[in-house]
């Protein structure tokens, strides 16, 4: 699949000349009648301990999600390591492991994929590849009502033609890197996930969503196609025929509709804090944690490779023999 995804054309590679038109069309991307909710109450602090990042004082308030238009670019992705303790009942020895939460935090850009956000995602994913303490990774939004609204079209319209291609390739590479992470990954969709936002979620092993969430690959509304792997991963998730239908129509599904077609694994009624999907993702991550870490990595690799056609020399020889109408000469490779 990696080769097929890498070969997919850039979703917005040809948009520079029509940048102004695309920016104007961006509002239509959210679909008629769809409005983004305002700020909700800050989320409840969970039982996990922040191993890195913000640490609450004893008895202090729960961490708040930020929505300031003056937010610094380094705050656009918040990486939190939640440290858990697993006590072995036979030896009473405690082992510490981590759930890593990647929180997208671009409220002023509806969490759209910008140059800076992609750079930060790439840096975070590179660091996680070799971190043996990490057992599960959750991708979520820190902004109520939004997961990721896709590419940042306003920024894209300002790029020169020579900048667009490499940047789209970088988006695709980062999404592929997320798909290839060795540990389980969960996308917590508590709001809007359109275009590249849904492609980001599709790169995760498991997707959970609030019933009020909206998701779809809507690029055909802009006369383009999904370029971050959506044309390859959506059919694997829900089947080829239905994936074609959704991409051709640019249809947007809510959480219950997405669950019905198999796009997500769990659907939850949204809570007052606006983080129902994230809480479910944490529950799943904690359920995974006690299992053997090596077995988890090998199981993920085996499942991923089993879904692909493996290009062995024996397979190629078999195809050639069929074409030449002769017995195959296998070499066990």
């Amino acid at each position: 699949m990696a080769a097929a995804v890498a070969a997919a054309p850039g979703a917005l590679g040809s948009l520079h000349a029509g940048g102004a038109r695309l920016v104007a069309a961006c509002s239509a991307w959210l679909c008629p009648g769809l409005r983004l909710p305002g700020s909700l109450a800050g989320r409840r602090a969970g039982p996990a301990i922040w191993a890195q990042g913000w640490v609450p004082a004893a008895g202090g308030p729960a961490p708040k999600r930020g929505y300031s238009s003056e937010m610094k670019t380094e705050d656009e992705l918040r990486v939190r390591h939640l440290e858990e303790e697993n006590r072995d009942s036979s030896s009473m020895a405690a082992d510490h492991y981590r759930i890593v939460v990647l929180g997208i935090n671009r409220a002023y850009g509806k969490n759209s994929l910008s140059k800076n956000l992609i750079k930060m995602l790439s840096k975070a994913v590179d660091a996680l590849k070799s971190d043996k303490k990490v057992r599960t990774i959750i991708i979520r939004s820190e902004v109520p009502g939004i997961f990721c609204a896709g590419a940042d079209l306003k920024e894209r319209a300002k790029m020169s033609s020579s900048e667009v291609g490499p940047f789209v390739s970088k988006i695709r590479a980062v999404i592929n890197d997320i798909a290839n992470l060795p540990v389980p990954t969960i996308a917590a969709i508590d709001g809007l996930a359109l275009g590249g936002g849904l492609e980001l979620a599709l790169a995760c092993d498991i997707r959970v969503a609030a019933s009020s969430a909206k998701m779809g690959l809507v690029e055909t509304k802009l006369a383009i196609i999904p370029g971050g792997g959506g044309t390859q991963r959506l059919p694997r998730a829900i089947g080829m025929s239905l994936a074609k239908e959704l991409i051709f129509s640019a249809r947007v599904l809510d959480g219950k509709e997405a669950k019905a077609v198999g796009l997500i694994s769990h659907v939850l009624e949204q809570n007052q804090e606006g983080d129902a999907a994230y809480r479910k993702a944490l529950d799943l991550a904690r359920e995974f944690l006690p299992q053997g870490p090596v077995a988890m990595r090998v199981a993920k690799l085996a499942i991923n490779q089993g879904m692909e056609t493996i290009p062995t020399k024996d397979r190629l020889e078999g195809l050639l023999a069929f074409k030449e109408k002769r017995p195959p000469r296998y070499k066990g490779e």
Side-chain angles (χ1 to χ4, degrees):
M1 182 176 74
V5 173
L12 299 176
S14 61
L15 298 186
H16 178 66
R21 179 178 62 84
L22 290 175
V23 172
C26 185
S27 58
W29 212 22
L30 300 180
C31 303
L34 183 60
R35 292 189 176 186
L36 304 180
S39 298
L40 299 174
R43 60 178 174 80
R44 182 184 65 182
I49 302 169
W50 299 129
Q52 296 181 10
W54 185 88
V55 180
K64 299 287 186 178
R65 285 180 281 180
Y67 321 114
S68 172
S69 60
E70 302 300 323
M71 189 182 302
K72 297 179 180 178
T73 56
E74 58 263 29
D75 293 329
E76 291 184 350
L77 182 71
R78 295 178 175 175
V79 181
R80 294 191 174 103
H81 293 246
L82 311 186
E83 186 171 289
E84 300 278 341
E85 183 178 290
N86 181 33
R87 187 169 294 278
D88 187 335
S89 58
S90 61
S91 65
M92 297 304 293
D95 181 30
H96 293 272
Y97 44 71
R98 292 173 180 169
I99 301 168
V100 174
V101 181
L102 302 180
I104 305 174
N105 193 44
R106 292 193 76 225
Y108 53 91
K110 298 183 177 66
N111 282 356
S112 56
L113 301 173
S114 64
K115 283 184 177 181
N116 182 65
L117 180 56
I118 288 298
K119 179 181 179 180
M120 296 185 73
L121 273 170
S122 178
K123 182 178 179 180
V125 171
D126 283 344
L128 292 172
K129 289 177 183 177
S130 57
D131 190 337
K132 301 300 183 182
K133 284 288 186 180
V134 175
R135 299 291 182 86
T136 305
I137 298 167
I138 297 172
I139 299 180
R140 65 162 306 193
S141 169
E142 299 278 343
V143 181
I146 293 287
F147 177 74
C148 174
D152 188 334
L153 297 184
K154 290 183 179 179
E155 182 183 72
R156 186 68 53 84
K158 297 176 183 178
M159 292 183 187
S160 67
S161 57
S162 61
E163 293 177 304
V164 173
F167 179 63
V168 172
S169 296
K170 183 62 175 178
I171 292 178
R172 188 183 310 123
V174 170
I175 291 177
N176 284 341
D177 284 345
I178 290 171
N180 292 326
L181 281 167
V183 298
T185 53
I186 307 171
I189 307 172
D190 274 307
L192 198 71
L194 297 181
L198 181 55
E199 290 181 299
L200 180 63
L202 282 166
C204 294
D205 300 313
I206 298 166
R207 290 165 294 282
V208 297
S211 58
S212 58
K214 304 290 183 182
M215 60 201 83
L217 295 180
V218 296
E219 285 87 347
T220 53
K221 279 184 176 290
L222 302 180
I224 54 177
I225 71 170
T231 57
Q232 309 302 307
R233 294 189 178 100
L234 186 62
R236 286 166 170 79
I238 66 174
M240 183 180 295
S241 180
L242 185 54
K244 288 178 177 178
E245 179 181 331
L246 294 183
I247 292 173
F248 294 166
S249 64
R251 189 179 306 157
V252 174
L253 307 179
D254 63 26
K256 291 181 179 179
E257 292 169 331
K259 175 65 168 65
V261 301
L263 179 54
I264 62 175
S265 300
H266 301 275
V267 60
L268 301 309
E269 291 298 324
Q270 189 56 281
N271 57 27
Q272 184 177 358
E273 291 80 5
D275 64 355
Y278 172 60
R279 294 189 189 186
K280 179 62 177 179
L282 273 178
D283 289 342
L284 290 172
R286 292 184 177 119
E287 187 176 352
F288 300 161
L289 287 176
Q291 320 313 326
V294 175
M296 294 287 282
R297 291 169 181 252
V298 173
K300 176 171 178 174
L301 182 63
I303 293 168
N304 286 351
Q305 290 188 348
M307 292 297 292
E308 308 301 325
T309 302
I310 302 174
T312 62
K313 291 181 180 180
D314 277 354
R315 172 181 171 272
L316 298 177
E317 165 61 17
L319 292 174
L320 182 61
F322 177 79
K323 180 179 179 180
E324 296 177 353
K325 298 180 180 180
R326 61 169 174 79
R329 297 184 287 271
Y330 296 129
K331 299 180 181 179
E333 298 175 318

